[in-house]
Structures are given as structure tokens and as C-alpha cells.
């Protein structure tokens, strides 16, 4: 519009290219480039204003860039102007974030767009319905068509269907998605040739900032594919979701950019009201490791120190910082390390930047950079699963896109610095440096693997890598329980030991076999992968001791407490603990399991199993946890037995719901006219018949003798005529026997 060349008054700066000069006054940059610019120059010297356009897309870089710009404005540059722009923006929320900034609205020039609803049959494949709708529209409408589909797969299948079913001779069908080569993208965006029409099949890449001349019809399937990061697996998966109302409005508006148009929606009109107003911001769904690294470089540990429209989730951010710590980017205090600073100098996600630095340290910087390019540029090097094949294809590719990527690799290598002295790393080990949790071990059938993070993964058994014993995996396709391997390279066990020796954990495991004896195995693990497993013929006594203690911890007291003495002791102490918590130790099962080494370990010396432990020894070991004066007090306050008038020592049940209870035949209480007590309260007497059947429970024996006894005596004399049933039992002689014959 100015009649000037790009790079004069108006220039641009993107990931692989820049066109600016001293004359440049307006510089158009990507959001990622801007975050790096402000990190390199926090004061934004020479910049008067920053305009954030299409902010409704809510990319992670846009949110971070605005937060950093606000921080710069508050602390360093009160003269810095900030402007946030969008056609479908929640203006009030952004205005509050900007300190109640004014909201300016410009309607601009827009042509009318008629909206028509076609509905959708959920039983039919999406591609078929879109293809049929497009063929019908081509017959009814004039002009070119822009059709929105969720992703590349649906676009290619719809294109194939259109070509198979047939379209008018004057119609060209062009796909448009992010992984498409730049030249092919230009073909889709370029106006149709004179006398021809175009059908552009696009992802949400065409929702905003893009006008295709001649398009006056939009077909919207109402679906979008968005990334969802899972901190638990470390994977970013693509989910197909309903579009928001804002996105639907953006898509509809594409039909009225140059003339009045029509928008066909593949859903019912009533469903529009059910659409969410705005899509979820990327900051709520994405891998936050890059954000965490940027904040650490900015000198911020917590996102709450900056103004975000939507603060990042606490759990995901904590996991991101944990990853940075594992990569060596943060020290134990959470501060940025020298390695972290080097990572932040590379315009790549932290994992890939770490891989390049590791490669540079081993003299493999160019190879690591090429792998990073294949992982960050979709479709580069083809779609082979084998990383080595992709590297070969990338090296032989002479296309403009490949040449730009190779130039970018050289820049990364320069930024990574000179080579170091680390051992040589293979392509597989370089991949593993970036994704150590995706080191995989073969299991079962060819093509089936177990990852270090515990998930399963698979590939076609016909793939050359399907029979490799070990793999490093760079890319996975989502699955419920297991993932599809999309990119991998072989690695060796020796290589794993060499590169990840500091992460290997040696663990001795013991199992109790049928004979009750303990057998030992020594495992070497990388996270959840067993690297080595061998039997220990003569395990150390300490190892056996630890295994037996672990057995008790896992099985509980049922593994050792089988006798009366130990269980009675626990019941007595716990009863007193409930009465006087401050005076008695905690003998609950969790508390005692937590200190097994103090009381049980001495009993296990020289043993290979728990079998044969004497109950009296266990009770004595438990008593050893109490000082002598407390043991003496225990015997007085809560004795294990009560002596009846007959001399019979009867066990006291301290776990009874009614309180300490003794079950006793009523004849053994004759002559007792005072109620016995224990633990400073009446002992509950469960009175039994001569056949040990329950008669009555009492806490007041004298009242029982002078009250209920009359009825009990009358009933019992008839049932047990050979036993004594005196009218005044409080004066009779206690007995354990029936009355002599003839009396």
C-alpha cells in the first residue's frame, strides 16, 4: 500500500526469516519472536508501542508476551503503549488486565453473510457429508468455497472423495493446513485463475488473518482439533472438539470479506446456542515447560508475579518446573542454572534445546539440530517411523522448505556453542536425551513396547524397528491405554547405561515363596523399565530383614499377631490411650508399623521367614517400647486377667463395646457382694450359665443378687438341677463344680 519494498518502513521477523532495516518503523513479528525480543531486551529499547493482534486466539506466546510487556511497562517503561486487538475478544476482561484501559470499537467494512444450517448425521463419516455439501453448493452458488475441517486427515480424505465423485471442470480443490509445504499453501491462498473457481479445504489456520480472493461461501463442519497436554504422561494429544461461538463467527465472517456471501453450517441452528462463548486458552492446556523456562529467565518463579489473563494451572506449572529440574535447567533452589540459561538462548522447546546442547557437547551438534528440526517441523523428512530414514530424506531434500530448515539448524548449532568432551551420542540416544521417559523396551509380540513412564506403545509388526529390543521414541499418537509410535530410533542397552547411568536405580526385591522363605533378586531400573534382573543366591541378612519388615508393612499385623498375649497387650494399651491420651503411647497398627525397626527387627535377626515367631516374644518386644515404670502402671491400671472368687484367672476383653468385660459362670461369683473394678471403673461382668450360655450383663453385682437373681434362679434350677442355686448367693461359697450327689 505504501509502494515500498518489504523491509523498508514495514518489515517482518519470523522464525526462519527476517526482513528489517534501519528504516523500518513497523515490524510485524510472530508472538514467539516477540517473547524472545523482550527477553533479550526487557526495556524494549527503540519500541514505542506493541500491538497484539488476533488476541482472541489466546496462544501461550501471546499471553506470555502481554504479561512480560505489562511488567516492562510497570517497572521500566511507563511510556510504552500497549494495544490488544481482536474481532471476537472478551474486551472487558482484557481492559481490566490492562488497568481499566479504554475499549475502542471499529466496525469496519463487512459484507452481509447469510447463514444456512444443513444439520449433520452423526452416523455418517464427516468427510462424506462435507464432500456432498460442497458438490451441492458448487451447483447452487457461484464463487469459491472455503471449507473448515478439523485436521489434515479429514482434509485429504475429503479432497479424495471430491475428486472421486467429480467436481465441475472449472473447479480446483486445494488443501490448506500447517504442515503443508509453503508453495502448496501459496496455491491455496492465491486467487483462482480467471474463469475458474476454487474449493479450499482448510483447518482453523484459515479462521483469521487470511483473506482468499473470490471466496464467498464458507462450509463449517463445526469441529476443531486442539492440543491437550497430559502432565502425567508428558504427551500432548490432539482432541477433536466443538468450536466456540467466537470461532464459528470468525469462520462465518470469511464469507463476507470481499462481497456478500453464504455460510453453511453442518449442525442444527439450535445447537449454536450450546456452543461455548470462547475457546479454552492454550495456557490452560499446553505443556508449560517453555513458559516456566521463560519466567525463570525473566527472574520470576511463580506466574502469580505477573499479570496473566488466565493464570497457568498450578499442577501443570509445577510439573513443568520439575521437568526443567530434571534437565538441569533449574538448581535445587529453583533458580536458573548456566545450562538453563543456555537452553533459553535456543528458540526451541526446552527438551529439544537440551538435546542440541547434549549433542554439541558430544560433537554431534549438527545431528541433534537436524533431529530437532524433524520434531518441530511436521512433515519434514517424510513420515517414516524410523528416525534414520527421515534423517536421510531430510539430507537429500533440496526443496526451499528443507533448505530453510537446514539454515535454521546451522543457527541452532552456532547458538549451542563449541563441542565438548562428552561421549559420542547416536541418534537414538539424542532422542532419549530429549524424551527419557519415552525410552522403550520390547515386550511380547513384535511392535509392542513398554515405555519408561509405564505406558504401552505399539507400531506395525512389519516395521523394521518392530523387532528392536530397545527404542528411543520421539513422537507418539494418542491412545487410551497405549500410544502409536510415529517416530523412533534404536538404542542399545550399553548406550542407556552410558548416557543415563546417574538415573539408573538398583533395587533388591524379595519374594516369600510357598515354603515361607525369602528369595532375593537384584533389579536395575530406569523409571519403570527393568534394565537387568538377576537372582541373588546368598542375600545379605540386612536385605532379608528389610524384606521381612516390608512383608509385615504390606500384610499388616495379621502376618505376625496370632496369639492371645500380643493382641491382649495391644487392646489394653489402646484402651488406656483412649482414656488418658497424654499418658500412654500410641499402640495403633499404623503407629507400630511405622516403627517396626525399633521393636520387631531384633526378633528377626537370623531368620529367613516370619514363620515360628512366638507370640510371647512379640508381646515382650512390644512392651520394650515402654519404660519400666509405665509397664508396671499398665499391670495395675489394666491387668490382662481378673481373678474370680474361685481362683480362676479370666481374660479381660478391653475391646468390648461396653468397656472392659469378663465372661464368667455365675456360680464362680457366689460370696462376692462387691462389684469388681478395673481401670478406675466397674468391670463389666457377662454372666454365664453352667453351659457357658449368656444369662445377663451387669455393672452392679449386688443389685443383680437382690434383684434379677430371683428370676434367673427360678429358670436355672429347672434347667440345671444338679447345680447349686442359693437364695442368698452373696453369702454362698463360690464353686466351679455341680453340687455333690445326694444334696
Amino acid at each position: 500500500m505504501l509502494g515500498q519494498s518489504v523491509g523498508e518502513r514495514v518489515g517482518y521477523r519470523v522464525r526462519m526469516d527476517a526482513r528489517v532495516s534501519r528504516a523500518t518503523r513497523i515490524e510485524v513479528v510472530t508472538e514467539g519472536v516477540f517473547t524472545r525480543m523482550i527477553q533479550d531486551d526487557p526495556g524494549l529499547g527503540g519500541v514505542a508501542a506493541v500491538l497484539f493482534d488476533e488476541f482472541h486466539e489466546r496462544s501461550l506466546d501471546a499471553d506470555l508476551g502481554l504479561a512480560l510487556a505489562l511488567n516492562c511497562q510497570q517497572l521500566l517503561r511507563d511510556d510504552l503503549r500497549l494495544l490488544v486487538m481482536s474481532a471476537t475478544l472478551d474486551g472487558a476482561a482484557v481492559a481490566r488486565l490492562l488497568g481499566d484501559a479504554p475499549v475502542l470499537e471499529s466496525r469496519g467494512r463487512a459484507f452481509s453473510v447469510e447463514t444456512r444450517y444443513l444439520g449433520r448425521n452423526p452416523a455418517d463419516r464427516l468427510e462424506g457429508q462435507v464432500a456432498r455439501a460442497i458438490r451441492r453448493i458448487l451447483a447452487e452458488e457461484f464463487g469459491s468455497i472455503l471449507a473448515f475441517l478439523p485436521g489434515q486427515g479429514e482434509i485429504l480424505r475429503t479432497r479424495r472423495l471430491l475428486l472421486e465423485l467429480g467436481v465441475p471442470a472449472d473447479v480446483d480443490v486445494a488443501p490448506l493446513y500447517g504442515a503443508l509445504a509453503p508453495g502448496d499453501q501459496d496455491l491455496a491462498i492465491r486467487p483462482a485463475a480467471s474463469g475458474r473457481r476454487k474449493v479450499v479445504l482448510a483447518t482453523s489456520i484459515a479462521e483469521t488473518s487470511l483473506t482468499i480472493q473470490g471466496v464467498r461461501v464458507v462450509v463449517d463442519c463445526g469441529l476443531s482439533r486442539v492440543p491437550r497436554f497430559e502432565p502425567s504422561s508428558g504427551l500432548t494429544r490432539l482432541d477433536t472438539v466443538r468450536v466456540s461461538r467466537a470461532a464459528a463467527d470468525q469462520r462465518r465472517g470469511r464469507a463476507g470479506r470481499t462481497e456478500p456471501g453464504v455460510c453453511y453450517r453442518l449442525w442444527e441452528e439450535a445447537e449454536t446456542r450450546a456452543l461455548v462463548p470462547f475457546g479454552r486458552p492454550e495456557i490452560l492446556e499446553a505443556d508449560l515447560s517453555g513458559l516456566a523456562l521463560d519466567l525463570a529467565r525473566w527472574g520470576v518463579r511463580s506466574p502469580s508475579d505477573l499479570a496473566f489473563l488466565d493464570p497457568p494451572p498450578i499442577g501443570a506449572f509445577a510439573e513443568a518446573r520439575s521437568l526443567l529440574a530434571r534437565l538441569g535447567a533449574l538448581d535445587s533452589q529453583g533458580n536458573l542454572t548456566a545450562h538453563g540459561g543456555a537452553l533459553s538462548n535456543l528458540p526451541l522447546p526446552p527438551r529439544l534445546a537440551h538435546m542440541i546442547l547434549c549433542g554439541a557437547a558430544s560433537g554431534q551438534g549438527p545431528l541433534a539440530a537436524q533431529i530437532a528440526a524433524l520434531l518441530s517441523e511436521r512433515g519434514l523428512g517424510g513420515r517414516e517411523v524410523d528416525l534414520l530414514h527421515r534423517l536421510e530424506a531430510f539430507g537429500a531434500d533440496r526443496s526451499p522448505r528443507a533448505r530453510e530448515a537446514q539454515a535454521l539448524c546451522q543457527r541452532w548449532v552456532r547458538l549451542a556453542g563449541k563441542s565438548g568432551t562428552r561421549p559420542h551420542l547416536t541418534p537414538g540416544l539424542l532422542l532419549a536425551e530429549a524424551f527419557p521417559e519415552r525410552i522403550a523396551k520390547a515386550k511380547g509380540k513384535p511392535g509392542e513396547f513398554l515405555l519408561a513412564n509405564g505406558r504401552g506403545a505399539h507400531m506395525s509388526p512389519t516395521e523394521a524397528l518392530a523387532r528392536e529390543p530397545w527404542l528411543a521414541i520421539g513422537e507418539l499418537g494418542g491412545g487410551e491405554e497405549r500410544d502409536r509410535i510415529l517416530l523412533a530410533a534404536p538404542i542399545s542397552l550399553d548406550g542407556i547405561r552410558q548416557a543415563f547411568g546417574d538415573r539408573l536405580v538398583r533395587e533388591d526385591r524379595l519374594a516369600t515363596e510357598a515354603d515361607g522363605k525369602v528369595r532375593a533378586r537384584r533389579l536395575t531400573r530406569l523409571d519403570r523399565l527393568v534394565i537387568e534382573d538377576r537372582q541373588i543366591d546368598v542375600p545379605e541378612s540386612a536385605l532379608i530383614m528389610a524384606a521381612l519388615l516390608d512383608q509385615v508393612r504390606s500384610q499388616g499385623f495379621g502376618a505376625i499377631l496370632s496369639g492371645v498375649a500380643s493382641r491382649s497387650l495391644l487392646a489394653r494399651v489402646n484402651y488406656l490411650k483412649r482414656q488418658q491420651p497424654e499418658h500412654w503411647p500410641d499402640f495403633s497398627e499404623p503407629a507400630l508399623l511405622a516403627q517396626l525397626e525399633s521393636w520387631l527387627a531384633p526378633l528377626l535377626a537370623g531368620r529367613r521367614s516370619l514363620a515360628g515367631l512366638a507370640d510371647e516374644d512379640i508381646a515382650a518386644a512390644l512392651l520394650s517400647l515402654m519404660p519400666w515404670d509405665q509397664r508396671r502402671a499398665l499391670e495395675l491400671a489394666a491387668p490382662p486377667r481378673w481373678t474370680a472368687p474361685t481362683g480362676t484367672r479370666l481374660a479381660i476383653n478391653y475391646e468390648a463395646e461396653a468397656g472392659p468385660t469378663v465372661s464368667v459362670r455365675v456360680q464362680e461369683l457366689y460370696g462376692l457382694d462387691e462389684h469388681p473394678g478395673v481401670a478406675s471403673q466397674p468391670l463389666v461382668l457377662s454372666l454365664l450359665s453352667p453351659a457357658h450360655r449368656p444369662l445377663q450383663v451387669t455393672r452392679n453385682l449386688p443389685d443383680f443378687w437382690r434383684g434379677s437373681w430371683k428370676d434367673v434362679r427360678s429358670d436355672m434350677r429347672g434347667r440345671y438341677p444338679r447345680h447349686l442355686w442359693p437364695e442368698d448367693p452373696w453369702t454362698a461359697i463360690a464353686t466351679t463344680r455341680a453340687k455333690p450327689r445326694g444334696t
Side-chain angles (χ1 to χ4, degrees):
M1 292 172 68
L2 293 172
Q4 298 180 358
S5 298
V6 176
E8 294 184 30
R9 190 180 304 181
V10 181
Y12 68 82
R13 196 185 304 267
V14 296
R15 187 182 183 205
M16 293 188 182
D17 191 17
R19 297 284 295 278
V20 295
S21 67
R22 291 187 177 183
T24 301
R25 300 295 303 279
I26 300 173
E27 188 170 333
V28 183
V29 302
T30 63
E31 294 148 342
V33 166
F34 174 72
T35 60
R36 299 200 66 78
M37 288 175 63
I38 195 170
Q39 290 271 19
D40 293 338
D41 179 12
L44 288 178
V47 176
V50 183
L51 283 67
F52 294 86
D53 195 16
E54 305 292 359
F55 193 74
H56 68 274
E57 294 179 357
R58 297 297 307 282
S59 74
L60 183 57
D61 282 329
D63 278 6
L64 173 61
L66 181 57
L68 297 181
L70 283 168
N71 197 236
C72 166
Q73 186 186 61
Q74 292 163 359
L75 300 179
L76 302 172
R77 290 282 311 278
D78 58 1
D79 63 323
L80 182 66
R81 299 289 188 264
L82 300 179
L83 181 64
V84 179
M85 301 168 59
S86 170
T88 54
L89 184 66
D90 183 359
V94 177
R96 287 193 298 272
L97 182 71
L98 298 180
D100 295 323
V103 179
L104 308 179
E105 183 176 357
S106 172
R107 295 191 178 278
R109 184 180 67 178
F111 294 95
S112 62
V113 177
E114 180 186 354
T115 305
R116 300 174 186 172
Y117 293 88
L118 300 179
R120 182 180 164 201
N121 184 354
D124 287 351
R125 289 185 67 88
L126 175 65
E127 299 90 337
Q129 295 183 69
V130 173
R132 289 192 295 272
I134 290 174
R135 293 182 76 238
R136 168 186 157 187
I137 294 165
L138 285 171
E140 297 176 355
E141 299 284 348
F142 65 91
S144 294
I145 299 174
L146 174 60
F148 287 98
L149 290 125
Q152 177 182 338
E154 290 86 354
I155 287 173
L156 296 179
R157 288 191 291 272
T158 302
R159 181 175 183 271
R160 185 172 62 249
L161 269 175
L162 284 171
L163 297 179
E164 289 174 355
L165 296 172
V167 295
D170 64 340
V171 173
D172 298 317
V173 181
L176 180 60
Y177 49 87
L180 203 61
D184 293 331
Q185 291 190 28
D186 291 342
L187 288 176
I189 297 170
R190 189 178 304 150
S194 178
R196 299 190 65 78
R197 293 192 289 170
K198 180 182 290 187
V199 173
V200 179
L201 306 174
T203 62
S204 54
I205 191 176
E207 279 181 13
T208 58
S209 303
L210 179 64
T211 298
I212 302 175
Q213 294 294 327
V215 167
R216 61 169 298 275
V217 180
V218 163
V219 178
D220 186 3
C221 74
L223 300 174
S224 180
R225 193 152 292 141
V226 296
R228 297 279 191 264
F229 178 67
E230 296 178 356
S232 59
S233 65
L235 297 178
T236 297
R237 309 185 184 283
L238 292 175
D239 286 349
T240 302
V241 300
R242 296 292 302 274
V243 296
S244 65
R245 283 202 299 274
D249 289 343
Q250 287 278 2
R251 293 180 176 188
R252 177 180 176 274
R254 299 297 101 187
R257 299 288 287 180
T258 58
E259 59 183 305
V262 185
C263 174
Y264 290 85
R265 288 174 167 172
L266 267 65
W267 66 84
E268 300 294 343
E269 183 174 5
E271 295 179 55
T272 303
R273 292 190 294 274
L275 298 177
V276 296
F278 299 96
R280 281 178 65 79
E282 187 181 5
I283 198 170
L284 301 181
E285 304 288 354
D287 175 3
L288 299 181
S289 57
L291 173 71
L293 183 63
D294 285 333
L295 293 189
R297 181 179 177 185
W298 192 256
V300 169
R301 291 190 183 184
S302 171
S304 61
D305 294 335
L306 296 178
F308 283 97
L309 193 57
D310 288 283
I314 295 174
F317 189 78
E319 178 61 30
R321 285 183 62 87
S322 176
L323 169 64
L324 294 180
R326 293 197 299 272
L327 295 179
L330 300 179
D331 62 21
S332 57
Q333 283 74 45
N335 299 315
L336 194 69
T337 63
H339 183 65
L343 290 184
S344 67
N345 287 331
L346 284 166
L348 282 165
R351 289 177 182 271
L352 301 187
H354 174 74
M355 178 180 66
I356 291 178
L357 291 176
C358 290
S362 68
Q364 297 295 106
L367 174 61
Q370 290 176 347
I371 296 172
L374 296 180
L375 288 167
S376 57
E377 295 292 325
R378 291 177 63 87
L380 199 63
R383 299 194 173 278
E384 289 269 5
V385 173
D386 193 329
L387 173 62
L388 303 182
H389 293 168
R390 284 207 207 178
L391 286 169
E392 291 175 5
F394 181 33
D397 192 347
R398 297 294 180 266
S399 68
R401 184 188 184 205
R403 288 199 300 270
E404 290 174 352
Q406 290 287 7
L408 194 60
C409 290
Q410 294 172 12
R411 180 185 169 213
W412 292 338
V413 173
R414 287 195 300 271
L415 289 173
K418 296 181 179 180
S419 301
T421 57
R422 278 191 59 172
H424 178 86
L425 295 176
T426 65
L429 286 175
L430 286 169
L431 257 191
E433 287 286 358
F435 305 100
E437 73 280 4
R438 298 185 198 170
I439 294 174
K441 180 181 180 181
K443 64 167 189 175
K445 301 176 182 177
E448 299 287 337
F449 292 87
L450 178 67
L451 276 62
N453 62 12
R455 289 183 65 91
H458 69 102
M459 66 173 67
S460 169
T462 60
E463 290 282 351
L465 297 179
R467 297 182 182 275
E468 289 286 343
W470 296 92
L471 290 179
I473 298 173
E475 189 177 355
L476 289 163
E480 290 298 325
E481 296 181 357
R482 60 180 193 156
D483 301 294
R484 186 163 55 92
I485 301 172
L486 303 178
L487 178 66
I491 52 175
S492 67
L493 190 54
D494 287 342
I496 294 174
R497 293 181 183 278
Q498 165 196 310
F500 299 98
D502 60 331
R503 293 188 53 175
L504 298 181
V505 176
R506 287 167 181 82
E507 173 185 315
D508 292 334
R509 290 185 182 177
L510 296 100
T512 304
E513 304 200 3
D515 60 1
K517 291 187 177 180
V518 173
R519 301 290 187 270
R521 305 192 69 81
R522 180 156 293 160
L523 307 181
T524 302
R525 292 187 297 102
L526 175 66
D527 296 337
R528 299 193 186 182
L529 291 182
V530 175
I531 303 296
E532 184 183 42
D533 180 356
R534 64 184 180 85
Q535 182 172 322
I536 304 174
D537 295 328
V538 184
E540 298 175 1
S541 58
L543 180 61
I544 297 176
M545 172 90 68
L548 293 175
L549 293 176
D550 284 343
Q551 184 180 344
V552 175
R553 290 188 186 98
S554 62
Q555 296 180 8
F557 277 175
I560 55 172
L561 300 187
S562 58
V564 173
S566 57
R567 291 194 176 279
S568 171
L569 174 63
L570 293 181
R572 293 158 60 204
V573 176
N574 287 330
Y575 173 78
L576 293 176
K577 176 74 173 176
R578 290 192 295 272
Q579 307 304 310
Q580 297 176 300
E582 67 280 2
H583 290 116
W584 298 97
D586 186 355
F587 267 30
S588 65
E589 183 169 347
L592 291 174
L593 289 177
Q595 48 183 331
L596 287 178
E597 286 81 359
S598 301
W599 61 274
L600 183 60
L603 292 182
L604 301 179
R607 290 183 173 274
R608 295 288 297 265
S609 74
L610 296 174
L613 281 174
D615 185 60
E616 291 77 9
D617 292 339
I618 293 175
L622 289 168
L623 275 174
S624 70
L625 295 173
M626 302 169 62
W628 181 84
D629 57 339
Q630 198 172 49
R631 287 183 237 170
R632 186 164 177 242
L634 172 66
E635 292 300 316
L636 295 174
R641 296 180 179 274
W642 175 73
T643 303
T646 57
T648 304
R649 290 176 54 78
L650 301 166
I652 303 175
N653 180 6
Y654 287 89
E655 295 178 308
E657 185 176 350
T661 300
V662 164
S663 296
V664 57
R665 288 181 297 176
V666 70
Q667 286 91 351
E668 296 198 54
L669 299 177
Y670 291 167
L672 184 62
D673 201 24
E674 290 184 4
H675 193 92
V678 69
S680 302
Q681 68 177 30
L683 182 64
V684 178
L685 298 176
S686 177
L687 306 178
L688 306 177
S689 71
H692 294 273
R693 293 190 176 92
L695 291 178
Q696 195 162 329
V697 174
T698 182
R699 286 187 175 86
N700 191 323
L701 187 62
D703 281 358
F704 170 72
W705 291 144
R706 293 168 175 82
S708 303
W709 171 251
K710 182 177 180 181
D711 294 332
V712 171
R713 174 177 179 268
S714 175
D715 182 41
M716 291 296 102
R717 288 178 68 191
R719 293 190 183 188
Y720 302 98
R722 297 181 57 249
H723 290 259
L724 292 173
W725 302 103
E727 292 184 7
D728 50 352
W730 56 90
T731 63
I733 298 175
T735 180
T736 60
R737 307 167 62 87
K739 62 183 179 181
R741 296 187 183 211
T743 61

